[in-house]
Amino acid sequence: MYLKRLFLFFIVFIFISGNSFAASVLKGRITDVHGDPIYGAIIEITDLKTGAAADTAGYYAIENLPNGTFTVEVHSVGYATASASVAIDGTVIRNFKLSDNIIERNEVVITGASLATSERRNITPIQSLSLKQLHENPSTNIIDAVTSLPGVSAVTTGPAVSKPVIRGLGYNRIITLNNGVRQEGQQWGDEHGIEIDDYNVTRVEVLKGPASLAYGADALAGVINIISNPDVPDGKIQGNVTTNYQSNSGLFAGHVDLGGKKNGYTWGGYFTEKAAHDYSNAYDGYVFNSRFNNTNYGLSVGINKSWGSSKLYYTSFNQHLGLVEGERDSATGKFIKDIDGPVLVTDADNHSYSMNVPYQHIKHDKWVWDNNLYLKNGGRLGGTIGYQVNSREEFANSVTPKTPGLSLLLQTLTYDLKYILPQQNDWHISTGINGMSQWNENRGVEFLVPDYRLFDGGIYAIAKRDWNKWSVSGGIRGDVRVIGTYMKLDNAYAAPQVQVQYQVFYPFTDYFVNGSGSIGAAYSLDNKSTFKFNFSSGYRTPNIAELAANGVHEGTIRYEYGNVQLKPENSAQFDLGYSWCSEHLAVNVSLFDNYIVNFIYIRKMLGVNGTDSIPTFNNENNFVGFIQDQGDANLYGGELNIDYHPHPFDWLHLENTFSYVRGQFIHKVENTYNLPYMPPARWAIDLRAQKKTLGSRLKNVYAKAGVDVNLAQNNVFDAYGTETNAKGYTLIDCGVGGDITNKKHQVLCSVTIAVHNLLDVAYQNSLSRLRYAPENNVTGRVGVFNQGRNVSAMVSIPLSFK
């Protein structure tokens, strides 16, 4: 009730105060270093969610601005991004010159700080990917695209399912944001990914570590902020039509987005259709039932005036995906399917886009109402409400293929209120409250987790100051969470326990209270080098599957038990960073050490005779039992990035990135210290050549080749046979692309052709859940291998109208 009244007051205050704010204007001209105008350059004030585009003469104007000091970012394809802190009061003229120096990296980021700031000034370790970078690296989902960043990997279950991992930590230890709202869709599960359309993304920011006080207690490992299409400049209608074909799985995707803005009123929409048949590799051939299809769409309307902004989003994610079980014929080694008994899979089966059992249907609908109000004292008030409905159904019975076995309906209401104080003496201070209310219901005939309800809330304060060569930032946060099961009122349930089809769920209610904080600083020794230090504490409560699971987790090919005795995880992390950047060379080093108390992990259970514990009731005797456990742990490692442009061959670009994480228990678990599911050391080499113009009709042309070296992972959690060693492998990627223009040098379309795994190497990523599929008796190989050679062709046509 309190929150409802607070939001009602907020909205009423908008309409009462709406026309009482003086409107300022920021205008100027965007040119290159030679003084030539840059048509179409984008000028953005991220904190105010507004911007403009430069006209044919390079001039721009942003109206209806409040007074204050804001970070302004200017970017255009083929130029280095420029950013500056600009004091706005009345009419302010500010010109920008964009450099051709493509090695410069100082983009404005918004994740993990109270206000938008440059990457160089940001205290916490953070990296970003632009739309252009996303298009240049072929992927089948948005998380796979993000794994190109050092320190970021993914737990995968086939090409459509990827869960992010940051520095060895994943699942509920990472908060994924989209449109300012945390994504909530059974985050604990291995067998389905993040319900965000990968073609409706313009930028991704990844914050590493628990210094994410503004987002919630679950961000123990960090935050992935996925930013969708921003508002277009005033007086414009803009969009894109994009098509993508990928050869390995016959993936075809079509996407269209369009948006407009007139006198501060905005609208937008998008639609995506994507489908793929089974993928293939050199060892398995086509992997049966690795197909998937998506139908996604969204709409938005909003207003941006001198008093602030208000915007309403709706997005729908609808996916069908097969579940790879890896069962094979013992005589031929070929995959089999279940149609009234095992049947050999045919070539026609592998090239079909239709679903076969077992498969999942994931539907995720989300409504977001985002508000931003400028106050007369120079402060700002923000309020965001999100409501999400996640429906997950598993179809596994060939006799009744349209009847779901496991069916979960998750509803989540999120709230976020923040107040950014007026800037005084170079201090930027923000405070806020946020959290969520969540309830999950079983609607199928099979069960993995009980019905439950969750409520949490947190209050935080973040302060930052920039002066001379220093930037200092710190903050504190307090959280409370309540999670408990609830029982349906019918005869199938009886206290003190709930028993359904031989599965038992015991009622419980847990209360968790904790505090966290961070403090850090960045020091710019000169214009080239910056040192960074940060200490942060993190906190995560066990999720419902860790507390109370009791059933088959189909996508992970195991029977899981929860543990209601689990305690919350608490972490303390140190980060050290150094960056040095000149005209032709950039070096970035980031080191971390993360100590976690009560680290939660899943391990295989053993029977009384010392062999695998296999549940024999409920006809689940094909699955090994696993149970949740915990112990203190330490993770340490870092990332090294070297980016070199040899002079005078400035068009040539050589980048080396090395990432490493080591995870260990403080005390031995059985015979090992190793944490489970740690990514291996990785070395990525990228050689790139690019030209701003090539002939009269080509712009921003590039050709690149890359080597991705994944070392062997032998530091595995082999206790109870839970995890096995993973071999190393090396992949070679390549690609070309550019913009095709008309006589007026306006872009007609952008073309990208990329090849992943050029040599068609057969490999198993150490974090692939399909490594643990059954053995092929003919070849002796265990599990299913990752995708082979894949050629991706993408064409994007920009749309622009007045």
Side-chain angles (χ1 to χ4, degrees):
M1 182 62 70
Y2 173 76
L3 287 175
K4 290 181 180 179
R5 291 176 179 176
L6 194 58
F7 274 109
L8 179 62
F9 170 78
F10 177 81
I11 300 305
V12 171
F13 189 51
I14 285 179
F15 288 105
I16 292 176
S17 308
N19 297 314
S20 61
F21 293 89
S24 294
V25 178
L26 174 65
K27 61 182 181 178
R29 192 169 187 239
I30 312 300
T31 63
D32 61 19
V33 292
H34 306 293
D36 296 324
I38 302 178
Y39 169 66
I42 302 298
I43 305 91
E44 291 183 296
I45 306 178
T46 305
D47 286 327
L48 304 182
K49 302 177 182 179
T50 189
D55 62 20
T56 54
Y59 290 100
Y60 74 93
I62 308 176
E63 301 178 340
N64 294 321
L65 299 178
N67 295 339
T69 301
F70 305 97
T71 298
V72 179
E73 181 183 43
V74 184
H75 54 89
S76 182
V77 175
Y79 295 91
T81 299
S83 62
S85 181
V86 179
I88 297 175
D89 189 356
T91 299
V92 177
I93 298 175
R94 183 63 183 264
N95 300 323
F96 292 89
K97 286 188 176 182
L98 301 188
S99 168
D100 296 341
N101 181 10
I102 59 175
I103 200 171
E104 182 181 346
R105 292 178 177 176
N106 198 30
E107 280 96 357
V108 171
V109 293
I110 61 175
T111 309
S114 57
L115 294 170
T117 185
S118 67
E119 282 190 27
R120 188 177 183 185
R121 286 276 188 175
N122 202 67
I123 307 301
T124 52
I126 189 170
Q127 289 178 293
S128 60
L129 282 172
S130 66
L131 176 64
K132 189 172 186 295
Q133 291 171 308
L134 292 170
H135 281 183
E136 289 180 7
N137 298 294
S139 61
T140 52
N141 61 78
I142 185 59
I143 298 303
D144 272 356
V146 179
T147 58
S148 62
L149 290 174
V152 182
S153 48
V155 174
T156 63
T157 312
V161 179
S162 296
K163 290 285 193 180
V165 175
I166 299 176
R167 290 175 167 176
L169 300 175
Y171 300 96
N172 288 84
R173 300 180 181 95
I174 295 174
I175 287 180
T176 302
L177 298 172
N178 185 229
N179 288 336
V181 170
R182 59 186 290 167
Q183 190 77 9
E184 286 293 325
Q186 313 289 356
Q187 303 299 98
W188 47 267
D190 296 76
E191 73 284 7
H192 61 98
I194 303 299
E195 304 88 351
I196 296 174
D197 185 357
D198 46 329
Y199 294 93
N200 190 49
V201 175
T202 56
R203 181 179 174 84
V204 180
E205 296 178 354
V206 178
L207 182 145
K208 303 172 185 176
S212 47
L213 302 174
Y215 304 114
D218 287 338
L220 191 77
V223 175
I224 296 179
N225 187 10
I226 299 173
I227 302 166
S228 298
N229 290 323
D231 289 345
V232 303
D234 204 290
K236 296 278 189 178
I237 297 176
Q238 293 181 344
N240 288 277
V241 175
T242 302
T243 60
N244 183 207
Y245 174 77
Q246 297 185 20
S247 64
N248 187 281
S249 61
L251 182 150
F252 179 79
H255 169 83
V256 59
D257 62 78
L258 196 65
K261 187 174 183 180
K262 181 70 173 178
N263 298 325
Y265 293 93
T266 67
W267 59 271
Y270 72 91
F271 179 84
T272 299
E273 190 77 32
K274 178 169 66 172
H277 59 61
D278 296 341
Y279 78 85
S280 68
N281 61 61
Y283 282 169
D284 298 311
Y286 283 95
V287 177
F288 178 64
N289 218 24
S290 57
R291 65 202 64 183
F292 61 93
N293 62 68
N294 288 58
T295 301
N296 310 325
Y297 53 89
L299 298 168
S300 66
V301 292
I303 183 172
N304 197 315
K305 293 290 187 177
S306 59
W307 50 263
S309 63
S310 181
K311 194 168 187 178
L312 180 66
Y313 304 86
Y314 167 71
T315 59
S316 179
F317 179 95
N318 195 324
Q319 182 182 65
H320 294 82
L321 69 150
L323 295 173
V324 177
E325 293 190 320
E327 296 287 346
R328 308 173 197 257
D329 178 59
S330 60
T332 64
K334 293 183 178 181
F335 289 104
I336 57 176
K337 61 180 180 179
D338 183 16
I339 302 179
D340 297 327
V343 177
L344 288 179
V345 172
T346 66
D347 186 66
D349 290 330
N350 290 132
H351 287 83
S352 172
Y353 291 82
S354 300
M355 288 293 112
N356 284 281
V357 293
Y359 73 93
Q360 284 194 87
H361 179 203
I362 308 294
K363 194 172 190 307
H364 193 98
D365 294 304
K366 180 167 61 176
W367 294 260
V368 177
W369 190 18
D370 182 52
N371 301 279
N372 195 27
L373 178 65
Y374 313 143
L375 305 179
K376 290 184 177 180
N377 63 359
R380 286 188 290 123
L381 186 65
T384 304
I385 300 177
Y387 174 64
Q388 303 170 65
V389 180
N390 181 275
S391 172
R392 172 185 158 205
E393 297 177 316
E394 288 185 2
F395 301 83
N397 193 324
S398 60
V399 179
T400 56
K402 300 296 184 181
T403 302
L406 186 69
S407 178
L408 297 172
L409 181 68
L410 176 69
Q411 299 178 74
T412 306
L413 177 67
T414 58
Y415 60 94
D416 185 1
L417 284 172
K418 60 184 176 183
Y419 174 50
I420 299 174
L421 281 69
Q423 180 179 333
Q424 293 184 352
N425 300 322
D426 294 322
W427 280 101
H428 302 277
I429 301 174
S430 65
T431 184
I433 60 172
N434 52 29
M436 64 180 176
S437 179
Q438 188 174 82
W439 51 105
N440 193 67
E441 180 182 353
N442 284 284
R443 293 190 167 188
V445 296
E446 298 176 4
F447 298 82
L448 175 59
V449 296
D451 299 343
Y452 75 91
R453 288 177 178 168
L454 177 151
F455 175 81
D456 69 16
I459 183 169
Y460 67 89
I462 302 173
K464 184 185 179 203
R465 188 182 181 190
D466 298 325
W467 74 96
N468 297 329
K469 298 181 177 182
W470 284 92
S471 292
V472 176
S473 178
I476 56 174
R477 181 182 179 93
D479 283 281
V480 59
R481 172 170 288 183
V482 182
I483 182 172
T485 58
Y486 68 96
M487 308 309 169
K488 297 177 181 177
L489 299 177
D490 61 47
N491 294 330
Y493 299 85
Q497 64 187 35
V498 181
Q499 182 169 327
V500 184
Q501 294 187 348
Y502 304 101
Q503 293 166 255
V504 178
F505 296 111
Y506 292 89
F508 71 90
T509 301
D510 277 347
Y511 300 85
F512 304 99
V513 179
N514 200 77
S516 56
S518 71
I519 183 71
Y523 176 71
S524 298
L525 185 64
D526 49 39
N527 291 331
K528 295 182 178 180
S529 59
T530 303
F531 293 91
K532 294 183 181 181
F533 162 80
N534 192 73
F535 170 77
S536 52
S537 61
Y539 166 72
R540 181 184 80 93
T541 66
N543 60 51
I544 189 62
E546 292 167 336
L547 290 169
N550 187 6
V552 173
H553 205 166
E554 288 281 356
T556 63
I557 321 174
R558 62 195 183 201
Y559 194 106
E560 295 186 5
Y561 295 95
N563 182 352
V564 76
Q565 302 299 322
L566 293 177
K567 300 176 182 178
E569 295 179 341
N570 287 273
S571 74
Q573 177 165 317
F574 291 90
D575 286 279
L576 288 174
Y578 172 74
S579 63
W580 187 88
C581 185
S582 69
E583 185 178 0
H584 298 285
L585 179 66
V587 178
N588 289 277
V589 182
S590 183
L591 304 175
F592 73 94
D593 187 275
N594 190 6
Y595 186 90
I596 302 178
V597 178
N598 297 322
F599 178 84
I600 299 172
Y601 64 98
I602 192 167
R603 61 171 176 84
K604 188 180 288 187
M605 297 179 67
L606 296 182
V608 293
N609 58 356
T611 60
D612 291 343
S613 174
I614 301 178
T616 57
F617 53 86
N618 202 24
N619 296 319
E620 304 296 2
N621 55 1
N622 293 323
F623 298 89
V624 176
F626 284 72
I627 191 168
Q628 303 289 341
D629 208 341
Q630 60 187 167
D632 296 347
N634 183 232
L635 296 92
Y636 59 89
E639 301 88 37
L640 170 65
N641 177 270
I642 301 174
D643 196 352
Y644 179 51
H645 287 259
H647 186 71
F649 307 107
D650 296 342
W651 49 269
L652 193 62
H653 169 95
L654 178 63
E655 185 173 7
N656 282 266
T657 300
F658 182 78
S659 55
Y660 174 78
V661 58
R662 181 77 166 96
Q664 294 179 302
F665 288 105
I666 303 302
H667 305 289
K668 261 189 178 183
V669 175
E670 289 298 306
N671 62 341
T672 182
Y673 284 102
N674 299 321
L675 291 185
Y677 309 122
M678 290 291 108
R682 182 182 179 192
W683 180 26
I685 306 169
D686 286 294
L687 180 65
R688 177 189 180 96
Q690 63 185 54
K691 292 280 289 182
K692 186 173 293 184
T693 59
L694 186 64
S696 60
R697 296 294 182 91
L698 295 176
K699 290 174 57 177
N700 305 312
V701 179
Y702 74 90
K704 69 173 187 175
V707 179
D708 187 1
V709 181
N710 290 260
L711 302 184
Q713 180 57 287
N714 297 319
N715 298 317
V716 299
F717 182 66
D718 55 10
Y720 318 100
T722 297
E723 192 178 10
T724 60
N725 291 349
K727 295 180 180 179
Y729 57 89
T730 299
L731 306 179
I732 295 179
D733 303 329
C734 59
V736 295
D739 300 330
I740 301 174
T741 67
N742 59 18
K743 292 182 179 180
K744 297 180 181 180
H745 304 293
Q746 297 172 324
V747 176
L748 297 177
C749 67
S750 299
V751 178
T752 300
I753 299 175
V755 183
H756 176 64
N757 193 3
L758 177 67
L759 302 182
D760 201 24
V761 173
Y763 71 98
Q764 289 179 321
N765 185 285
S766 67
L767 297 184
S768 171
R769 301 299 312 139
L770 298 184
R771 284 209 303 131
Y772 301 97
E775 179 182 354
N776 185 333
N777 291 329
V778 174
T779 64
R781 301 185 184 105
V782 177
V784 173
F785 285 72
N786 287 74
Q787 191 177 66
R789 182 189 299 114
N790 185 30
V791 181
S792 172
M794 179 179 290
V795 178
S796 183
I797 302 172
L799 306 174
S800 183
F801 313 96
K802 290 186 178 180

